[in-house]
Amino acid sequence: MNKLSASLLVAATMFASSAAVARPAPLVSIPTHDAFFDKIKAHCGKAYEGKVTLDNQGPSAFSEARLVMHVRRCNERELQVPFHVGKDASRTWIITKTGSGLSLKHDHRHKDGSDDKSTMYGGHTVDAGFNNVQSFPADQYSKELFIAHQIPQSAGNTWQMFIYEDKFTYRLVREGREFRVDFDLTKPVKAPKAPWGYQD
């Protein structure tokens, strides 16, 4: 074996060795985000019934329908939580660790599984929040989506989630608007079927 061949063999061996120990970059997070994420994840597989406890625009379809949240799919990076409004299974909350905090997205589908024209809107944490409470001000994608769909007032949305031993709360606030649903975590209910566009 000549010197060139030997050098190439050594280089190839070193490359193979380094590739064998290569690993993905770590997913960084802070304690308050981890605690909040884990508190929801602890309910994975369970479903809970809720009710509208505040809506300053008066009664709506949400007020009359049976409301159920289902902590349906969970891994180390993402939680999928369908929010069923009566027979309407179009909504899934997706909470994701991003490495820069937590993201909340609203995945909206039609009954055939296709995307709604307003889907994947939401926001991202901008501070530490608390173990039990996180806030998600509307991100730029959502602001532009709302403007495109002629609801520019929604660009000021902030979504909040609260989780305690006995209660989970989903809250929407912006100037002149507040909407809140509270779910009873002390009484699990039968899990609903998969939301539209997903499979059991």
Side-chain angles (χ1 to χ4, degrees):
M1 181 181 294
N2 60 37
K3 289 184 178 180
L4 177 59
S5 297
S7 297
L8 290 173
L9 180 60
V10 170
T13 302
M14 291 177 63
F15 176 80
S17 298
S18 65
V21 298
R23 59 176 177 78
L27 178 68
V28 296
S29 191
I30 63 173
T32 49
H33 293 163
D34 288 338
F36 176 82
F37 187 95
D38 290 343
K39 285 177 185 294
I40 299 175
K41 187 181 177 186
H43 293 272
C44 204
K46 296 180 180 179
Y48 303 97
E49 192 166 347
K51 61 180 180 180
V52 176
T53 52
L54 180 61
D55 186 347
N56 68 347
Q57 291 188 355
S60 67
F62 288 85
S63 307
E64 305 300 325
R66 182 173 184 253
L67 307 179
V68 175
M69 64 171 282
H70 179 200
V71 187
R72 183 172 176 271
R73 291 281 185 269
C74 312
N75 61 39
E76 295 305 312
R77 291 176 179 243
E78 182 180 280
L79 307 174
Q80 297 176 3
V81 185
F83 174 35
H84 296 257
V85 180
K87 294 181 179 180
D88 184 337
S90 65
R91 302 170 177 84
T92 299
W93 300 323
I94 300 177
I95 303 161
T96 307
K97 289 186 178 183
T98 67
S100 298
L102 297 174
S103 166
L104 168 65
K105 289 290 185 175
H106 299 72
D107 183 359
H108 279 209
R109 310 280 185 99
H110 295 293
K111 200 167 186 177
D112 65 1
S114 60
D115 294 331
D116 189 89
K117 66 179 183 178
S118 292
T119 191
M120 298 309 287
Y121 62 84
H124 197 283
T125 55
V126 294
D127 56 25
F130 301 93
N131 291 356
N132 302 91
V133 185
Q134 292 294 333
S135 298
F136 306 90
D139 57 28
Q140 192 61 33
Y141 165 80
S142 304
K143 292 176 181 179
E144 294 186 21
L145 181 73
F146 295 145
I147 291 169
H149 291 275
Q150 300 182 344
I151 46 172
Q153 66 274 18
S154 294
N157 283 2
T158 293
W159 297 271
Q160 294 180 319
M161 288 181 165
F162 305 70
I163 183 162
Y164 296 97
E165 290 297 320
D166 61 340
K167 182 169 64 176
F168 176 89
T169 297
Y170 170 87
R171 181 177 183 239
L172 164 67
V173 290
R174 64 171 180 263
E175 185 175 358
R177 179 73 172 119
E178 184 171 2
F179 173 80
R180 176 173 175 153
V181 182
D182 291 327
F183 297 86
D184 184 354
L185 299 184
T186 68
K187 299 176 182 177
V189 299
K190 182 179 178 180
K193 293 182 179 180
W196 298 343
Y198 288 76
Q199 294 182 343
D200 286 321

